[in-house]
């Protein structure tokens, strides 16, 4: 009798990495708000932190979500995978476009940048952080078609082609549904080629190795920050050399983030907390902007003007409040539509399940026995999920 491979296990360090990345996103938007409100000057130390985070926190998220794509495509088939992902992200985009628009219109008098009332109808123009949801639809389609994790030819043509596309589109971010952030496709493809099982195995390496990797990544990022590097997801007109250097800085920052996550995952209390946050990445991403902005406004009205205090409280609330709401709504069908598909749409999007064969499962190597103490089974639903 042929033994069917065990289901791939969830590596805590990968969830920790997702948490670190989403905390970086919340920090970016907190500092952005203070800069736009004139609470800190452009040369404030937090401004330097902001610039560094912008370079790699979204590339890191794209890489991490790419890890889960091969298994999802194998289980559901390319068409089924795209159908489910596109339905979820389009639903959440339209819902949160409305929520974000109404919230911003209601607070125009205290906002840094008032929102035009007519913009609520222009759903083809993503604003704030919502561009990432259309990007996830594009990513699902591109990776399901190219499958760069399957064989040398696909890796070379698919993966290499997306790296070239990343260089060509770096800094090109028109405000149009699905066209912002295309330079991140290379990072999602890289994640799919590395794969969940392989990265999970690597993350079990010795502490000294990951410490050295982290120091190398941080040093490389610090060095590249001295050049004219720009984030991939902000509009910028730069030459090919600057784009290549910016891509290198994003890679260095992503490597440093992974190394830090591995080290944090070796500290049990922190590991458990951050891993829990990492499993709620999508709800946090959707709601954090409203919370971060609201907290900043309230603190300023209360007379709190210390930038570090505002940043700390805003980031903690921007992560903690959406996490708490997502945890509360997850198992309540009357409320989980805030961050997930309503049941009828969910049933339609999943269609007919694709049978999973032993040959298909054989593509995924179970984690080593020594890792299973710090791993957990993949849940049926996930954040920024597949």
């Amino acid at each position: 009798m042929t033994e069917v491979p065990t289901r791939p296990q969830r590596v805590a360090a990968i969830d920790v990495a997702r948490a670190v990345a989403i905390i970086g996103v919340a920090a970016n938007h907190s500092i952005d708000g203070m800069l736009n409100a004139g609470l800190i000057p452009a040369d404030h130390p937090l401004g330097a932190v902001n610039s560094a985070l912008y370079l790699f926190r979204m590339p890191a998220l794209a890489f991490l979500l790419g890890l889960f794509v091969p298994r999802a495509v194998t289980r559901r088939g390319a068409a089924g995978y795209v159908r489910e992902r596109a339905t979820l992200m389009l639903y959440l985009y339209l819902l949160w476009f409305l929520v974000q628009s109404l919230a911003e219109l209601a607070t125009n008098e205290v906002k840094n940048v008032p929102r035009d009332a007519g913009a609520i109808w222009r759903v083809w123009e993503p604003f704030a952080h919502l561009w990432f949801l259309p990007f996830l639809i594009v990513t699902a389609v591109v990776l399901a078609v190219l499958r760069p994790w399957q064989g040398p030819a696909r890796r070379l043509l698919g993966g290499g082609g997306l790296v070239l596309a990343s260089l060509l589109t770096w800094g090109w971010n028109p405000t149009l549904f699905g066209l912002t952030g295309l330079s991140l496709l290379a990072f999602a493809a890289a994640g799919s080629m590395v794969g969940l099982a392989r990265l999970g195995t690597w993350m079990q390496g010795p502490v000294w190795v990951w410490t050295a990797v982290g120091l190398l990544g941080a040093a490389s990022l610090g060095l590249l920050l001295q050049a004219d590097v720009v984030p991939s997801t902000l509009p910028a007109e730069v030459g090919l050399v600057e784009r290549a250097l910016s891509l290198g800085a994003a890679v260095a920052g992503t490597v440093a983030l992974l190394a830090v996550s591995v080290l944090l995952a070796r500290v049990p209390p922190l590991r458990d907390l951050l891993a829990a946050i990492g499993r709620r990445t999508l709800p946090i991403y959707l709601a954090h902007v409203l919370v971060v902005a609201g907290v900043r406004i309230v603190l300023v009205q209360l007379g709190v003007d210390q930038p570090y205090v505002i940043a700390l409280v805003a980031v903690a609330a921007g992560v903690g409040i959406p996490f708490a709401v997502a945890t509360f709504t997850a198992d309540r069908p009357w409320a989980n539509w805030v961050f997930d598909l309503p049941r009828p749409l969910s049933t339609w999007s999943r269609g007919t399940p694709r049978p999973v064969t032993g040959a298909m499962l054989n593509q995924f190597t179970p984690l080593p026995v020594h890792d299973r103490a710090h791993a957990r089974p993949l849940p049926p639903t996930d954040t920024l999920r597949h």
Side-chain angles (χ1 to χ4, degrees):
M1 179 181 294
T2 302
E3 182 181 354
V4 177
T6 58
R7 190 183 188 192
Q9 300 288 304
R10 183 160 206 141
V11 182
I14 293 176
D15 284 329
V16 170
R18 288 150 65 94
V20 173
I22 201 65
I23 290 169
V25 172
N28 266 147
H29 291 142
S30 173
I31 298 170
D32 277 345
M34 290 189 287
L35 286 167
N36 293 333
L39 297 176
I40 57 175
D43 60 353
H44 192 277
L46 285 176
V49 172
N50 204 41
S51 297
L53 283 174
Y54 256 114
L55 279 167
F56 67 87
R57 90 279 197 262
M58 294 309 294
L61 270 181
F63 173 82
L64 290 165
L65 72 88
L67 296 171
F68 298 86
V69 174
R71 178 174 173 271
V73 171
T74 299
R75 289 181 62 225
R76 302 169 198 169
Y81 169 70
V82 170
R83 173 174 169 167
E84 185 176 349
R85 291 288 285 173
T87 304
L88 173 64
M89 296 308 162
L90 182 59
Y91 166 78
L92 290 175
Y93 174 78
L94 293 174
L95 173 64
W96 281 88
F97 188 98
L98 178 63
V99 171
Q100 186 85 19
S101 295
L102 292 176
E104 294 201 7
L105 288 172
T107 57
N108 262 347
E109 292 185 0
V110 293
K111 281 180 79 276
N112 293 328
V113 182
R115 182 156 174 79
D116 175 22
I120 195 172
W121 307 110
R122 298 195 292 271
V123 295
W124 58 88
E125 295 180 356
F127 71 104
H129 61 309
L130 297 178
W131 62 267
F132 194 55
L133 301 179
F135 166 78
L136 291 176
I137 297 175
V138 174
T139 300
V141 173
V142 170
L143 293 187
V145 171
L146 296 182
R147 302 190 191 193
W149 61 88
Q150 289 185 343
R154 287 182 179 267
R155 289 191 187 96
L156 179 62
L157 297 177
L162 289 177
V163 170
L164 178 59
S166 179
L167 284 172
L168 294 177
T169 58
W170 199 277
W172 182 73
N173 292 290
T175 308
L176 193 62
F177 188 97
L179 293 185
T180 301
L182 293 180
S183 54
L184 297 179
L185 284 170
F187 290 88
S192 73
M193 288 187 284
V194 171
L196 190 61
R198 183 179 290 113
L199 182 62
T201 300
W202 290 350
M203 284 180 153
Q204 303 311 306
V207 168
W208 71 266
V209 171
W210 279 103
T211 301
V213 168
L215 290 173
L216 179 61
S220 301
L221 175 62
L223 182 63
L224 289 168
L225 281 170
Q226 308 308 309
D228 293 327
V229 291
V230 297
S232 62
T233 55
L234 294 181
E237 294 184 6
V238 292
L240 186 59
V241 172
E242 288 80 7
R243 294 177 192 179
L245 291 173
S246 300
L247 176 61
V251 172
T254 298
V255 170
L257 183 146
L258 292 175
V260 168
S261 302
V262 170
L263 299 179
L264 291 174
R266 306 296 172 94
V267 183
L270 273 178
R271 179 189 66 221
D272 296 341
L273 173 62
L274 291 173
I277 291 172
R279 292 190 292 274
R280 302 288 186 192
T281 310
L282 181 54
I284 294 170
Y285 186 86
L286 289 170
H288 80 278
V289 169
L290 292 178
V291 177
V292 163
V295 168
R296 186 194 72 249
I297 291 170
V298 169
L299 288 176
V300 171
Q301 293 295 321
L302 292 175
V304 178
D305 58 1
Q306 295 88 350
Y308 294 104
V309 173
I310 294 174
L312 182 62
V313 175
V315 172
V319 173
I321 291 176
F323 175 83
V325 173
T327 301
F328 175 80
T329 62
D331 298 321
R332 293 172 170 83
W334 57 269
N336 67 359
W337 57 268
V338 177
F339 298 121
D340 204 352
L341 288 172
R343 181 165 295 175
L345 270 179
S346 178
T347 301
W348 177 85
S349 73
R350 291 181 182 273
T352 303
R354 188 187 190 202
V356 180
T357 65
M360 291 161 63
L361 285 172
N362 274 323
Q363 298 181 58
F364 306 100
T365 305
L367 293 178
V369 173
H370 69 272
D371 181 43
R372 293 177 187 167
H374 303 300
R376 66 189 68 206
L378 288 166
T381 59
D382 189 21
T383 56
L384 286 180
R385 65 180 191 201
H386 298 277

